[in-house]
Amino acid sequence: MKIYDFLIIGAGSGGCNCAHYLQQRGLSVAIADKEGVASGGSGAAGAFLSPLAGVQNSYNRFINSALEYSLEFYEKMTPNSIVKKGVLRVENNNFNSAKLQTNSIKNHYISAKELQEISQNFTQIDGYFYENAAILNPHEVCQELIKECDFYNYNVKELKYEDGLYIFDDFKAKNIILAQGVIKSIVETPYIKIAPIFGVKIDVKTTTKVPFNIHKSISVSTNKKDSTISIGATKERHDTSEMECLTSCDKCAFYVNNEQGQVEELLKDARELIKLEDVKVTKVYRGARATIKSYFPVIGKVIDYEQSLKKYPSIKNGTKIPPELLTYFENLYIINALGSRGFVVAPMLAKLLCEEILDSKKVPQELSNEKLFYKMARTKVST
């Protein structure tokens, strides 16, 4: 029976980047996903690498720092899967012109007249152009990331831990990383409240040349290396108190009858930005992306919530118990809540998580699940 140093459960952007990083450090890595590589929210993602505009705060500083890291990472690792031509951000309800101008990443205004000179297919829009932006092929990237790892099309339903090893049907693993996205966690992590956000993307053949990515309430990509473009948008936020993601969106009854309307709406919104000619939709992707209320991703060692509170019940009253004294599940880690910017943040998150595991470097507080644990423990009424 084969023994791996790590098994990663979930083959989306987070899981695949962790697998790559660990394998580069000389460790044996397996990755398992019941639906396949990049089959959920990561496969449905537009995989747009774009800056986050607005007044500087801890969140957009993190996003824009992760963007710089990921652009360099993907250009080196998988140059054939990235097209870097920048993005035009068009004003919408969430981002007015003042907010689009305010960013540590350089940008410049392009008027409607100037856009018409670039391409007569542009409608009467204007916007702010950011050079540091790109689009990826998510499936190619994820496959490249795990090419040196063993992949199992396998549904891990429970974790059995004996004598320092996690045991499965025909292999064992010393460590586990949970990268499950919106799927219910195999272990109880009540302090990580995942909110699935539904996204839809279409790949489109068109004779229109789109000079760069365009983003308003939807995203339209530049022509990729196969000459197609992608059009994507976030469409729905689930209420997790009412429904739980148990399968992929392509099989979910909540969406299965809505495809035609979703495609038509994407095309309509895209044509309000740029005229698309000779359009043929080649593929539709749907998937739910995992977020939490703070929007920050979550990485780190997995805390045993019940045992930690049993050991230190005074935490509920605000007693400051150091994180190292909490009870953690053995050799169990998590990377989750990457949201709609999964491919932007995943390379940096994988590096930070793996450095915590291998080099004992502490995860930044805003990304740590310990922060979520303390918040829930101190606000939850004891039952």
Side-chain angles (χ1 to χ4, degrees):
M1 181 177 282
K2 189 163 185 178
I3 299 176
Y4 294 96
D5 292 314
F6 282 85
L7 170 68
I8 299 170
I9 303 173
S13 58
C16 290
N17 270 281
C18 285
H20 174 77
Y21 192 91
L22 290 166
Q23 192 276 327
Q24 290 291 299
R25 293 286 295 263
L27 298 162
S28 59
V29 182
I31 187 164
D33 195 297
K34 67 175 183 175
E35 298 291 341
V37 179
S39 60
S42 292
F48 291 91
L49 307 182
S50 299
L52 181 58
V55 176
Q56 292 298 291
N57 56 41
S58 59
Y59 182 66
N60 64 18
R61 279 196 298 271
F62 163 69
I63 292 296
N64 292 332
S65 175
L67 173 66
E68 293 289 335
Y69 184 89
S70 64
L71 283 169
E72 182 178 354
F73 173 80
Y74 293 125
E75 284 182 293
K76 287 182 178 178
M77 190 206 70
T78 177
N80 292 329
S81 298
I82 183 170
V83 179
K84 185 182 176 184
K85 292 188 177 179
V87 62
L88 181 77
R89 294 295 304 266
V90 180
E91 184 175 354
N92 62 20
N93 292 335
N94 294 323
F95 287 89
N96 58 28
S97 59
K99 199 170 185 179
L100 289 173
Q101 292 178 66
T102 309
N103 196 288
S104 60
I105 296 177
K106 292 181 180 179
N107 64 84
H108 67 272
Y109 175 71
I110 304 180
S111 68
K113 180 181 178 182
E114 290 171 314
L115 285 173
Q116 285 284 311
E117 291 172 354
I118 294 170
S119 170
Q120 293 186 353
N121 284 63
F122 278 112
T123 63
Q124 290 300 310
I125 60 171
D126 59 0
Y128 294 83
F129 182 77
Y130 298 80
E131 184 178 347
N132 280 336
I135 184 167
L136 298 174
N137 183 315
H139 295 87
E140 285 183 4
V141 167
C142 286
Q143 291 286 358
E144 180 68 19
L145 285 165
I146 66 169
K147 68 179 182 180
E148 302 297 333
C149 306
D150 290 345
F151 175 75
Y152 292 87
N153 200 175
Y154 181 79
N155 185 12
V156 181
K157 295 182 179 179
E158 62 179 355
L159 298 176
K160 183 180 179 182
Y161 189 73
E162 291 182 2
D163 300 325
L165 293 171
Y166 286 95
I167 303 169
F168 304 95
D169 289 347
D170 53 1
F171 62 91
K172 298 178 182 180
K174 298 175 185 177
N175 302 274
I176 301 290
I177 296 178
L178 302 177
Q180 296 176 270
V182 298
I183 302 299
K184 184 178 178 180
S185 178
I186 299 171
V187 299
E188 291 297 324
T189 55
Y191 45 90
I192 304 175
K193 296 195 175 292
I194 297 295
I197 299 180
F198 172 66
V200 61
K201 179 186 76 174
I202 55 177
D203 286 342
V204 174
K205 282 187 177 180
T206 175
T207 54
T208 299
K209 301 301 179 186
V210 183
F212 34 70
N213 297 343
I214 313 164
H215 181 79
K216 190 178 178 184
S217 56
I218 66 164
S219 293
V220 180
S221 82
T222 186
N223 302 83
K224 293 172 286 185
K225 293 184 178 179
D226 63 358
S227 77
T228 64
I229 66 169
S230 288
I231 306 170
T234 298
K235 306 300 292 183
E236 307 264 1
R237 179 185 288 274
H238 290 341
D239 182 341
T240 52
S241 67
E242 296 179 2
M243 71 181 298
E244 181 179 292
C245 287
L246 299 174
T247 186
S248 64
C249 289
D250 283 338
K251 299 176 183 177
C252 179
F254 192 78
Y255 303 118
V256 74
N257 297 319
N258 297 333
E259 180 173 300
Q260 187 58 38
Q262 292 161 357
V263 170
E264 290 174 358
E265 184 178 358
L266 282 177
L267 289 172
K268 174 180 174 293
D269 290 345
R271 285 168 171 146
E272 290 177 0
L273 302 172
I274 189 167
K275 182 181 177 182
L276 300 177
E277 299 172 324
D278 304 314
V279 167
K280 180 181 179 182
V281 177
T282 59
K283 194 157 186 177
V284 181
Y285 306 86
R286 293 177 292 180
R289 303 152 189 173
T291 65
I292 59 174
K293 191 174 182 180
S294 73
Y295 291 104
F296 275 102
V298 182
I299 58 176
K301 297 183 291 184
V302 180
I303 301 165
D304 187 326
Y305 182 82
E306 296 299 335
Q307 289 302 314
S308 292
L309 287 185
K310 185 177 179 180
K311 187 177 180 181
Y312 299 108
S314 61
I315 291 175
K316 299 175 186 177
N317 301 320
T319 301
K320 294 183 179 180
I321 303 297
E324 59 268 21
L325 296 181
L326 299 176
T327 301
Y328 295 85
F329 292 101
E330 291 288 341
N331 302 333
L332 186 63
Y333 308 90
I334 194 166
I335 177 169
N336 209 333
L338 276 62
S340 60
R341 294 177 177 269
F343 283 93
V344 172
V345 300
M348 180 178 283
L349 292 177
K351 179 177 182 290
L352 291 172
L353 176 58
C354 296
E355 286 179 345
E356 179 186 54
I357 299 169
L358 304 178
D359 305 324
S360 300
K361 290 187 178 180
K362 193 167 180 60
V363 166
Q365 184 181 11
E366 64 268 23
L367 303 175
S368 171
N369 63 76
E370 291 157 359
K371 179 180 179 181
L372 301 176
F373 165 81
Y374 288 123
K375 184 176 181 180
M376 180 174 181
R378 290 166 182 165
T379 58
K380 186 175 176 63
V381 177
S382 180
T383 56

